[in-house]
Amino acid sequence: MSYPFQIKTPEEHQVAMQKSTNDPEGFWAEVASSFLWRKRWDSVLDWNFNTPDIKWFAGGKLNITENCLDRHLGSLGNKPAIIWEPNDPEEHHRVITYRDLHHKVVQFANVLKNNNVKKGDRVCIYMGMVPELAVAVLACARIGAIHSVIFGGFSAQSIADRLQDAQAEFIVTCDGAYRGNKEIPLKSVIDDALVQCRFVKKVIVLTRTRIPVSMIKGRDLWWEDEIKKVETMGNPDCPAEIMDAEDPLFILYTSGSTGKPKGVVHSCGGYMVYTTYSFVNVFQYKPGDIHFCTADVGWITGHSYIVYGPLCAGATSLMFEGIPTWPDAGRFWDVVDKYKVNILYTAPTAIRSLMSYGLGPVNTHDLSSLKVLGSVGEPINEEAWQWLNENIGKGKCPVVDTWWQTETGGIMISNMAGITPSKPSYATLPLPGVQPVLVDDAGKEIEGNNVSGNLCIKFPWPSIIRTTYGDHERCRLNYFSTYPGYYFTGDGCYRDEAGNYRITGRVDDVLNVSGHRIGTAEVENAINMHAGVIESAVVGYPHDIKGQGIYAFVIYSSTHGDENLSRQDISQTVARIIGAIARPDKIQFVSNLPKTRSGKIMRRILRKIAEGEVENLGDTSTLLDPNVVEEIKNGKL
Ligand code: PRX
């Protein structure tokens, strides 16, 4: 497969940058032309950031799975689409060709249809990292159902909230999932969630771990039985549902500064064009390359750069069920060596954690197949960047630091491997078609270089968020109202003398823990559910491995029992309400929180204390009771 839109030289990069700014519509129309459309679009772009109302390729008709699968069958049918490496290295890996994947997707799409799933219905997918997760995602897209994948680490309560928000009546799950030496009872978590969600009609369960599960008559079905049923119907095709470019493709929930996660909605056409374009260009994918993205499909990175982007590009995507440190800290390098991986796309958190094991686990593997290394999810510190560059890339693989978000659908700011220069800890330059600006707190654009500000984007790109599911006003308020006329990212950013962008972290109340977005308000709500808690305030603090850790200041009704036990109870409550990823790293019991006279918690002060900057707390004159601060400082963990 060739990519007419692949940028191959710095000169071509210059040309693309210019064309995409001078004539964005012409630029994207040309890129989009190399996809399979059932009907060409009527207009390339209609937009208004104030409402917001953004349409790309309106009037165009397509199905993304025809682009991911059908159109490759002729030339790439026998080529691996997905290589699957199981959690346990002793278990057999699987190679799924484009033809196999097409067959599996069609089969499962028919299973969904047999169970009365229709275009526009929401299907929740809660599975481990098995190939059937990609099959389920694509089968939904095949019939026009809207998938909502929920990461396997979220709790029953989080699932119930998401099911209710999306009114999802169908669920696809597994009996259990393997992660390192743990076995996660996914179906049992779903059962707990469904106690509150009586509207769910069908739960399809894939066998993975054979952990005992309870199957409810009339509601719960085994994946394998349902496949047998469609097999007995002969070998029927499942023609792809023809979708409007602007029809929703999926919902993916993510955290914001309020307590309730929001369902980010992406559309079929623009998302397809942008994820494929960015995949091919940022990683400089060449036919035959093996692309290993270590993310989970439960996050946007997995959606865009394990499933849709690579498959639309006819690439081979390596899907890994396990974790980087099991059975030992050489697992990533083992996988790279075993499959001769060419592109490795991972997260700073994983790198920092692996760095702590030294070079022993690295040096026993042949990493010479690697051509490109990528980082995503959080700022990558210079030390981790250098370690990756020197010890994994051996100084010969470009490192791409890719900045983007669930809401942006695809990579927005990044160097292009081997085409544009890298700069450690800088995401560097926007992709063609992306127009970042820095604005001050009053919303005024900050011109020039060597400046810092709030990162906004002033022009739409094809995979921009379209709405937040069921609440369009929330989308407007969250992203388009802080700085009118701009999409606001929530990130702070610095622009250097050469125009390179360096993301400095969130400027809102969102934490980034191990590359996972968690709202402080969400964690506070969960802590406050604990019977003994009167009030709490949560802030982030620098954490060597996780990037940010969660620090909770808690007013507790009685701390004369065992403080450690109380901490564990609170932590357990958070794991129950949100999931283990949101467990606080530190819980400090306090008798009061620093508040202004109007009762607002002064988080700035708590943040400084958590960061260890106790000497320089800034202005505390507006505090109702300055003594509170002294007490908290003295009790710092
Ligand atoms: O703060 C930025 C950080 O992650 C946030 C987006 O999180 P999420 O929607 O979960 O998506 C993560 C994967 C795309 C951003 O607002 N972030 C992401 N990539 C980078 C980053 N911060 C610095 N450098 C990056 N490369």
Side-chain angles (χ1 to χ4, degrees), residues 285-584:
Y285 186 84
K286 301 282 174 334
D289 282 351
I290 312 261
H291 172 77
F292 176 19
C293 167
T294 69
D296 192 290
V297 174
W299 308 109
I300 190 69
T301 307
H303 281 60
S304 301
Y305 300 111
I306 293 178
V307 182
Y308 287 114
L311 296 180
C312 276
T316 297
S317 184
L318 198 149
M319 199 172 168
F320 173 43
E321 187 185 34
I323 58 168
T325 49
W326 192 85
D328 58 53
R331 191 65 196 280
F332 273 3
W333 322 126
D334 188 39
V335 175
V336 168
D337 191 350
K338 179 168 172 190
Y339 300 102
K340 305 298 166 213
V341 166
N342 306 110
I343 305 167
L344 175 71
Y345 190 28
T346 191
T349 255
I351 298 163
R352 286 191 297 262
S353 140
L354 294 176
M355 279 166 73
S356 67
Y357 292 86
L359 290 177
V362 177
N363 291 340
T364 43
H365 295 99
D366 175 10
L367 305 182
S368 61
S369 57
L370 286 173
K371 297 198 292 192
V372 174
L373 302 170
S375 167
V376 61
E378 54 182 309
I380 178 163
N381 48 313
E382 187 146 357
E383 202 191 343
W385 195 102
Q386 297 293 2
W387 189 87
L388 187 66
N389 183 40
E390 282 160 29
N391 300 307
I392 307 305
K394 319 288 182 197
K396 68 173 180 60
C397 302
V399 176
V400 291
D401 177 359
T402 64
W403 173 84
W404 57 297
Q405 309 178 297
T406 305
E407 295 84 348
T408 70
I411 298 167
M412 299 287 281
I413 302 183
S414 170
N415 48 315
M416 279 188 190
I419 307 285
T420 63
S422 59
K423 178 169 179 181
S425 79
Y426 280 72
T428 74
L429 300 175
L431 261 64
V434 175
Q435 301 187 28
V437 290
L438 302 182
V439 303
D440 63 19
D441 288 342
K444 197 168 154 312
E445 234 176 279
I446 304 170
E447 311 274 349
N449 290 340
N450 292 318
V451 287
S452 295
N454 301 303
L455 179 63
C456 292
I457 317 283
K458 72 171 176 192
F459 194 84
W461 62 99
S463 61
I464 186 174
I465 178 175
R466 297 302 196 271
T467 189
T468 43
Y469 191 81
D471 191 350
H472 192 63
E473 176 62 3
R474 193 160 175 218
C475 176
R476 189 186 72 78
L477 283 174
N478 260 298
Y479 306 107
F480 297 92
S481 74
T482 317
Y483 303 113
Y486 300 105
Y487 165 82
F488 175 43
T489 64
D491 280 319
C493 186
Y494 171 76
R495 187 167 53 217
D496 77 359
E497 62 290 342
N500 289 308
Y501 290 86
R502 174 180 214 242
I503 313 301
T504 47
R506 303 286 305 193
V507 292
D508 53 9
D509 288 324
V510 171
L511 305 180
N512 194 329
V513 181
S514 302
H516 300 147
R517 245 162 94 170
I518 299 170
T520 52
E522 251 177 285
V523 185
E524 286 166 9
N525 289 350
I527 293 176
N528 295 347
M529 302 279 277
H530 183 77
V533 171
I534 294 164
E535 197 177 2
S536 65
V538 164
V539 295
Y541 72 98
H543 188 287
D544 284 348
I545 305 278
K546 298 178 174 185
Q548 264 188 315
I550 302 180
Y551 198 122
F553 298 90
V554 176
I555 308 181
Y556 203 63
S557 57
S558 112
T559 46
H560 28 258
D562 181 329
E563 276 206 2
N564 268 334
L565 267 183
S566 307
R567 283 198 185 93
Q568 284 171 29
D569 288 349
I570 291 173
S571 175
Q572 188 61 16
T573 308
V574 174
R576 275 236 159 248
I577 304 292
I578 305 176
I581 52 170
R583 278 184 196 272

